[in-house]
Amino acid sequence: MPFPFNPAFHKVDGMTVSRRILTGLLALMGMHAFGAPQPVAQLSPEMMAQAVQDDTFTVPTPGELLAALNKEGKPTWQAQYRPPIPTTYTSRPQIALNLGGLIADGYLAVEAEDSQQVKNIGKDIMTLAKTLGISENVLRRGKSIEDFAENNEWSTLKEELEATQNEVKLAMDEQHDEELTTLVTLGGWIRGTEAVSGWIATNYTPDEAKLLRQPAIVALLRQKLAALPQKTQNDELVQGLDSRLSVIQQMVSFSASQTPTQDDVKKLNAAASDLIATITTKK
């Protein structure tokens, strides 16, 4: 079964809940060598049904991916920042993908406890949200994010980002743009994977490299892509996603007993970075 990711991170008997996330990621299905092009086990109908009901039980938020590395030391997430991206896209699928990526950037800034970066990212999130015609509830979150960042309320900011992501998805559902919810989730996962693999590639340890084992997550995202309406699938950017995700799926589908090498992690980071570059390039 997919690991039931819990957005709350607190101390339990001296261990962080992020350790449970790490364990859950390592237990995800898919048993073959890192980078070897072999078939990956697909989710069962029961698992897919559960995912459709609530995909938060299957796909970790970007914040959960980052928090899984916050075990003893604190990663220098500033090293994983990226330059500002355009906020004037005209394609709704591209806006949704980049909105998800920006939410991941927001988590990075919160983990780095960088109030100015949080405010900058928050403004970009709200700009893209307005472009999609998302409800005032989401826009009000933007003001809250700015206020909490100003006061360095980091725990509250994590909760606010999760609430913002949920508000975005709810607003899209209300507007009958459910297919864009998949793209927001996908954009956030790719950007989170890029940041996590980038940090691990530079600060390599075998235990942390195993965190990258996520075959069931990629399998679910690919199945959701395949289920998008034909109009969305015809979008030029969306058309190229599945083949790129297939490559990434091979890279994160190593056996539980195997450890990716530092070179393996670098190749995954390069693939994720290349996909992010494609998503952010204005058409």
Side-chain angles (χ1 to χ4, degrees), residues 7-8 107 110 141 154-166:
Y107 283 109
V110 170
R141 295 283 183 192
W154 305 113
S155 295
T156 307
L157 267 169
K158 292 178 187 178
E159 295 172 1
E160 197 67 15
L161 276 170
E162 288 165 2
T164 299
Q165 183 167 299
N166 290 334

PDB file of all heavy atoms in Angstrom, residues 7-8 107 110 141 154-166:
ATOM      1  N   PRO A   7       1.156  15.354   6.892  1.00  0.00           N
ATOM      2  CA  PRO A   7       1.788  16.650   6.748  1.00  0.00           C
ATOM      3  C   PRO A   7       2.336  17.204   8.042  1.00  0.00           C
ATOM      4  O   PRO A   7       3.061  18.191   8.032  1.00  0.00           O
ATOM      5  CB  PRO A   7       0.647  17.535   6.215  1.00  0.00           C
ATOM      6  CG  PRO A   7      -0.588  16.879   6.683  1.00  0.00           C
ATOM      7  CD  PRO A   7      -0.296  15.405   6.680  1.00  0.00           C
ATOM      8  N   ALA A   8       1.996  16.638   9.177  1.00  0.00           N
ATOM      9  CA  ALA A   8       2.495  17.154  10.452  1.00  0.00           C
ATOM     10  C   ALA A   8       3.830  16.499  10.786  1.00  0.00           C
ATOM     11  O   ALA A   8       3.974  15.292  10.734  1.00  0.00           O
ATOM     12  CB  ALA A   8       1.483  16.850  11.561  1.00  0.00           C
ATOM     13  N   TYR A 107       8.153  25.816  -0.232  1.00  0.00           N
ATOM     14  CA  TYR A 107       8.610  24.917   0.823  1.00  0.00           C
ATOM     15  C   TYR A 107      10.117  25.020   1.023  1.00  0.00           C
ATOM     16  O   TYR A 107      10.608  24.984   2.159  1.00  0.00           O
ATOM     17  CB  TYR A 107       8.235  23.475   0.496  1.00  0.00           C
ATOM     18  CG  TYR A 107       6.787  23.122   0.736  1.00  0.00           C
ATOM     19  CD1 TYR A 107       5.911  22.898  -0.329  1.00  0.00           C
ATOM     20  CD2 TYR A 107       6.281  22.985   2.026  1.00  0.00           C
ATOM     21  CE1 TYR A 107       4.586  22.557  -0.119  1.00  0.00           C
ATOM     22  CE2 TYR A 107       4.955  22.656   2.254  1.00  0.00           C
ATOM     23  CZ  TYR A 107       4.112  22.439   1.181  1.00  0.00           C
ATOM     24  OH  TYR A 107       2.791  22.099   1.400  1.00  0.00           O
ATOM     25  N   VAL A 110      10.820  28.077   3.022  1.00  0.00           N
ATOM     26  CA  VAL A 110      10.411  27.903   4.422  1.00  0.00           C
ATOM     27  C   VAL A 110      11.423  27.043   5.160  1.00  0.00           C
ATOM     28  O   VAL A 110      11.827  27.355   6.290  1.00  0.00           O
ATOM     29  CB  VAL A 110       9.003  27.288   4.503  1.00  0.00           C
ATOM     30  CG1 VAL A 110       8.679  26.877   5.945  1.00  0.00           C
ATOM     31  CG2 VAL A 110       7.964  28.285   4.004  1.00  0.00           C
ATOM     32  N   ARG A 141      -4.703  33.624   1.043  1.00  0.00           N
ATOM     33  CA  ARG A 141      -3.570  32.867   1.581  1.00  0.00           C
ATOM     34  C   ARG A 141      -2.250  33.606   1.311  1.00  0.00           C
ATOM     35  O   ARG A 141      -1.320  33.543   2.098  1.00  0.00           O
ATOM     36  CB  ARG A 141      -3.511  31.480   0.950  1.00  0.00           C
ATOM     37  CG  ARG A 141      -4.676  30.581   1.277  1.00  0.00           C
ATOM     38  CD  ARG A 141      -4.583  30.008   2.648  1.00  0.00           C
ATOM     39  NE  ARG A 141      -5.682  29.093   2.921  1.00  0.00           N
ATOM     40  CZ  ARG A 141      -5.976  28.610   4.119  1.00  0.00           C
ATOM     41  NH1 ARG A 141      -5.236  28.950   5.159  1.00  0.00           N
ATOM     42  NH2 ARG A 141      -6.985  27.786   4.287  1.00  0.00           N
ATOM     43  N   TRP A 154       7.706  29.907  11.116  1.00  0.00           N
ATOM     44  CA  TRP A 154       8.028  28.885  10.119  1.00  0.00           C
ATOM     45  C   TRP A 154       7.097  27.681  10.171  1.00  0.00           C
ATOM     46  O   TRP A 154       6.681  27.167   9.131  1.00  0.00           O
ATOM     47  CB  TRP A 154       9.492  28.458  10.271  1.00  0.00           C
ATOM     48  CG  TRP A 154      10.400  29.629  10.190  1.00  0.00           C
ATOM     49  CD1 TRP A 154      11.182  30.160  11.168  1.00  0.00           C
ATOM     50  CD2 TRP A 154      10.587  30.482   9.044  1.00  0.00           C
ATOM     51  NE1 TRP A 154      11.842  31.277  10.720  1.00  0.00           N
ATOM     52  CE2 TRP A 154      11.494  31.499   9.415  1.00  0.00           C
ATOM     53  CE3 TRP A 154      10.077  30.484   7.745  1.00  0.00           C
ATOM     54  CZ2 TRP A 154      11.901  32.498   8.544  1.00  0.00           C
ATOM     55  CZ3 TRP A 154      10.471  31.474   6.871  1.00  0.00           C
ATOM     56  CH2 TRP A 154      11.370  32.465   7.264  1.00  0.00           C
ATOM     57  N   SER A 155       6.753  27.214  11.363  1.00  0.00           N
ATOM     58  CA  SER A 155       5.848  26.063  11.456  1.00  0.00           C
ATOM     59  C   SER A 155       4.480  26.406  10.860  1.00  0.00           C
ATOM     60  O   SER A 155       3.873  25.607  10.142  1.00  0.00           O
ATOM     61  CB  SER A 155       5.693  25.619  12.916  1.00  0.00           C
ATOM     62  OG  SER A 155       6.914  25.133  13.415  1.00  0.00           O
ATOM     63  N   THR A 156       4.008  27.609  11.166  1.00  0.00           N
ATOM     64  CA  THR A 156       2.721  28.042  10.627  1.00  0.00           C
ATOM     65  C   THR A 156       2.793  28.202   9.118  1.00  0.00           C
ATOM     66  O   THR A 156       1.835  27.908   8.394  1.00  0.00           O
ATOM     67  CB  THR A 156       2.299  29.382  11.273  1.00  0.00           C
ATOM     68  OG1 THR A 156       2.346  29.251  12.690  1.00  0.00           O
ATOM     69  CG2 THR A 156       0.897  29.772  10.849  1.00  0.00           C
ATOM     70  N   LEU A 157       3.937  28.651   8.613  1.00  0.00           N
ATOM     71  CA  LEU A 157       4.102  28.826   7.169  1.00  0.00           C
ATOM     72  C   LEU A 157       3.992  27.496   6.429  1.00  0.00           C
ATOM     73  O   LEU A 157       3.424  27.433   5.333  1.00  0.00           O
ATOM     74  CB  LEU A 157       5.452  29.480   6.875  1.00  0.00           C
ATOM     75  CG  LEU A 157       5.432  31.002   6.753  1.00  0.00           C
ATOM     76  CD1 LEU A 157       6.844  31.559   6.741  1.00  0.00           C
ATOM     77  CD2 LEU A 157       4.685  31.425   5.501  1.00  0.00           C
ATOM     78  N   LYS A 158       4.557  26.426   7.004  1.00  0.00           N
ATOM     79  CA  LYS A 158       4.446  25.116   6.369  1.00  0.00           C
ATOM     80  C   LYS A 158       2.977  24.721   6.246  1.00  0.00           C
ATOM     81  O   LYS A 158       2.531  24.227   5.208  1.00  0.00           O
ATOM     82  CB  LYS A 158       5.204  24.062   7.181  1.00  0.00           C
ATOM     83  CG  LYS A 158       6.714  24.230   7.168  1.00  0.00           C
ATOM     84  CD  LYS A 158       7.385  23.189   8.039  1.00  0.00           C
ATOM     85  CE  LYS A 158       8.884  23.450   8.164  1.00  0.00           C
ATOM     86  NZ  LYS A 158       9.552  22.468   9.039  1.00  0.00           N
ATOM     87  N   GLU A 159       2.228  24.951   7.310  1.00  0.00           N
ATOM     88  CA  GLU A 159       0.807  24.616   7.285  1.00  0.00           C
ATOM     89  C   GLU A 159       0.069  25.480   6.264  1.00  0.00           C
ATOM     90  O   GLU A 159      -0.833  25.013   5.564  1.00  0.00           O
ATOM     91  CB  GLU A 159       0.210  24.813   8.676  1.00  0.00           C
ATOM     92  CG  GLU A 159       0.783  23.868   9.736  1.00  0.00           C
ATOM     93  CD  GLU A 159       0.316  24.212  11.142  1.00  0.00           C
ATOM     94  OE1 GLU A 159      -0.467  25.184  11.271  1.00  0.00           O
ATOM     95  OE2 GLU A 159       0.738  23.521  12.101  1.00  0.00           O
ATOM     96  N   GLU A 160       0.478  26.742   6.162  1.00  0.00           N
ATOM     97  CA  GLU A 160      -0.187  27.652   5.238  1.00  0.00           C
ATOM     98  C   GLU A 160       0.083  27.265   3.782  1.00  0.00           C
ATOM     99  O   GLU A 160      -0.795  27.366   2.921  1.00  0.00           O
ATOM    100  CB  GLU A 160       0.281  29.084   5.502  1.00  0.00           C
ATOM    101  CG  GLU A 160      -0.613  30.155   4.895  1.00  0.00           C
ATOM    102  CD  GLU A 160      -1.996  30.229   5.526  1.00  0.00           C
ATOM    103  OE1 GLU A 160      -2.195  29.659   6.618  1.00  0.00           O
ATOM    104  OE2 GLU A 160      -2.890  30.823   4.899  1.00  0.00           O
ATOM    105  N   LEU A 161       1.290  26.813   3.500  1.00  0.00           N
ATOM    106  CA  LEU A 161       1.599  26.358   2.145  1.00  0.00           C
ATOM    107  C   LEU A 161       0.786  25.121   1.782  1.00  0.00           C
ATOM    108  O   LEU A 161       0.293  24.990   0.656  1.00  0.00           O
ATOM    109  CB  LEU A 161       3.099  26.064   2.015  1.00  0.00           C
ATOM    110  CG  LEU A 161       3.989  27.274   1.717  1.00  0.00           C
ATOM    111  CD1 LEU A 161       5.453  26.886   1.853  1.00  0.00           C
ATOM    112  CD2 LEU A 161       3.713  27.821   0.327  1.00  0.00           C
ATOM    113  N   GLU A 162       0.649  24.193   2.738  1.00  0.00           N
ATOM    114  CA  GLU A 162      -0.170  23.011   2.491  1.00  0.00           C
ATOM    115  C   GLU A 162      -1.624  23.415   2.251  1.00  0.00           C
ATOM    116  O   GLU A 162      -2.290  22.890   1.353  1.00  0.00           O
ATOM    117  CB  GLU A 162      -0.058  22.041   3.668  1.00  0.00           C
ATOM    118  CG  GLU A 162       1.292  21.341   3.729  1.00  0.00           C
ATOM    119  CD  GLU A 162       1.555  20.668   5.065  1.00  0.00           C
ATOM    120  OE1 GLU A 162       0.662  20.709   5.933  1.00  0.00           O
ATOM    121  OE2 GLU A 162       2.647  20.113   5.227  1.00  0.00           O
ATOM    122  N   ALA A 163      -2.097  24.378   3.051  1.00  0.00           N
ATOM    123  CA  ALA A 163      -3.470  24.854   2.880  1.00  0.00           C
ATOM    124  C   ALA A 163      -3.639  25.542   1.534  1.00  0.00           C
ATOM    125  O   ALA A 163      -4.665  25.385   0.861  1.00  0.00           O
ATOM    126  CB  ALA A 163      -3.831  25.806   4.018  1.00  0.00           C
ATOM    127  N   THR A 164      -2.613  26.295   1.109  1.00  0.00           N
ATOM    128  CA  THR A 164      -2.671  26.966  -0.191  1.00  0.00           C
ATOM    129  C   THR A 164      -2.766  25.955  -1.316  1.00  0.00           C
ATOM    130  O   THR A 164      -3.567  26.095  -2.250  1.00  0.00           O
ATOM    131  CB  THR A 164      -1.418  27.844  -0.391  1.00  0.00           C
ATOM    132  OG1 THR A 164      -1.379  28.848   0.636  1.00  0.00           O
ATOM    133  CG2 THR A 164      -1.441  28.518  -1.752  1.00  0.00           C
ATOM    134  N   GLN A 165      -1.944  24.899  -1.226  1.00  0.00           N
ATOM    135  CA  GLN A 165      -1.980  23.861  -2.255  1.00  0.00           C
ATOM    136  C   GLN A 165      -3.355  23.208  -2.305  1.00  0.00           C
ATOM    137  O   GLN A 165      -3.899  22.958  -3.387  1.00  0.00           O
ATOM    138  CB  GLN A 165      -0.900  22.816  -1.971  1.00  0.00           C
ATOM    139  CG  GLN A 165      -0.794  21.727  -3.025  1.00  0.00           C
ATOM    140  CD  GLN A 165       0.475  20.910  -2.877  1.00  0.00           C
ATOM    141  OE1 GLN A 165       1.576  21.425  -2.965  1.00  0.00           O
ATOM    142  NE2 GLN A 165       0.322  19.621  -2.646  1.00  0.00           N
ATOM    143  N   ASN A 166      -3.934  22.938  -1.146  1.00  0.00           N
ATOM    144  CA  ASN A 166      -5.263  22.334  -1.102  1.00  0.00           C
ATOM    145  C   ASN A 166      -6.326  23.279  -1.652  1.00  0.00           C
ATOM    146  O   ASN A 166      -7.264  22.851  -2.340  1.00  0.00           O
ATOM    147  CB  ASN A 166      -5.605  21.914   0.333  1.00  0.00           C
ATOM    148  CG  ASN A 166      -4.778  20.740   0.807  1.00  0.00           C
ATOM    149  OD1 ASN A 166      -4.318  19.932   0.000  1.00  0.00           O
ATOM    150  ND2 ASN A 166      -4.566  20.628   2.112  1.00  0.00           N
TER     151      ASN A 166
END
